[in-house]
Amino acid sequence: MKITEARVIVTCPDRNFVTLKIVTDDGLTGVGDATLNGRELAVAAYLTDHVVPLLIGRDAARIEDIWQYLYRGAYWRRGPVTMSAIAAVDTALWDIKGKAAGMPVYQLLGGRSREGVTVYGHANAETVDGILEEVAHYTALGYQAVRVQTGVPGLASTYGVSADRMFYEPADAALPTENVWSTPRYLDHVPGVFQRVREEFGPHLRLLHDVHHRLTPIEAARLGQSLEPYHLTWMEDPVPAELQEGFRLIRQHTTTPIAVGEVFNTIWDCKRLIDEQLIDYIRATVVHAGGITHLRRIFDYAAIHHVRSGSHGATDLSPVCMAAALHLDVSIPNFGLQEYMRHTEATDAVFPHTYHFADGYLHPSEEPGLGVDIDEELAARHPYRPAQLPINRLEDGTVHNW
Ligand code: CS2
Ligand code: MG
């Protein structure tokens, strides 16, 4: 089963996506997501110039060998661009493997471990009343878990709060928009929001919150303590995660569970966090952490350390990534939660797929392979649109984490 062609497809149905389509000599094709929000063209060029020429003529069945060839052969290992490119190849090859075997990919990963993949939706609003309406909306849709993001009084904008309720696209301009942040205002406001949500919806609805890398460990410890009465499922990305041992300080002060990892791209970014159980959920993804092959390794390593999966699933991860994620989510023993920010109709039209949402669960495709494709003719009608993620500054102008 030789690889005869690999096409890098950049398209922008409401937002930019990069997709790799691999073609074999027996007519099978596979797709992989290579989207890196704000840096899409870097991955597209990496694939086009440095990966595709190496793939032609290789045996598409040799997934592990090709993964090692691209990882070790890069010499300059790791990093989001390299690992997103490798991820796209890996995902496309698993798609082909499933089609060749006539089975959905989850069957090749050991079969089902659960009936459905529990997902969480995104309730966000400037005001608490708005948030209560949004949480009610998601619970009415059947969601069993809801992330809550709130405006902060005195701040014009903050992460996760958007005008559009069902979709959240932070890469909103060709050059970074600048937001202003205040940790004191944030820390003063957030606990009261969760108090109101718990008063309205009771103790059992699974609630999550994304801090989005904005605190120091001691500030995160304070936030975690203040949220303990509201029993969150997780506090996400409390601090930037380069200093993995920095999470020890948070852990010493609070029992609020911690989820980290959407910006990670190999096991090395999170090994200490997992080794020392400094986190409770690992959020690495198929598209940014080297594909199904490497993400499975991360999840298996996490499983022997009481750490569960909680993969990122924002709109800037394409339906190809979501389709692949669900095959892992439904089969691994230590599944936790899957993020599910819905894509727009235009995006779904470009990426026809057969995963579906029902009663708070996403269900992977039962078709051979991943159960997703890209309509290349439709994709061609949506040209790339330059878009960057915002920059955050403190009120005194200091650059901060967005
Ligand atoms: C967020 C993302 O979904 C999340 O948990 O962290 O919205 C993130 O900001 C974007 O994926 C960045 O492109
Ligand atoms: Mg996040």
Side-chain angles (χ1 to χ4, degrees), residues 233-241 243-248 250-251 254-262 264 267 269-284 298-299 301-303 305-310:
T233 295
W234 78 46
M235 169 173 71
E236 177 180 333
D237 285 333
V239 299
L243 184 69
Q244 295 184 51
E245 51 270 38
F247 284 74
R248 291 176 189 149
I250 308 171
R251 238 14 184 193
T254 182
T255 59
T256 294
I258 297 172
V260 177
E262 66 185 52
F264 292 166
I267 182 67
D269 298 323
C270 50
K271 185 176 179 304
R272 183 188 296 273
L273 289 173
I274 294 172
D275 280 337
E276 298 184 24
Q277 298 175 48
L278 298 175
I279 59 174
D280 303 276
Y281 297 88
I282 180 68
R283 286 186 40 80
I298 293 173
F299 287 162
Y301 192 74
H305 292 81
H306 303 298
V307 175
R308 286 173 282 181
S309 74

Side-chain angles (χ1 to χ4, degrees), residues 37 147 159 210 212 236 262 283 312 314 316 339 402:
N37 202 356
R147 186 185 86 167
Y159 164 72
D210 193 347
H212 218 262
E236 177 180 333
E262 66 185 52
R283 286 186 40 80
H312 187 204
D316 47 281
E339 179 175 9
W402 174 72

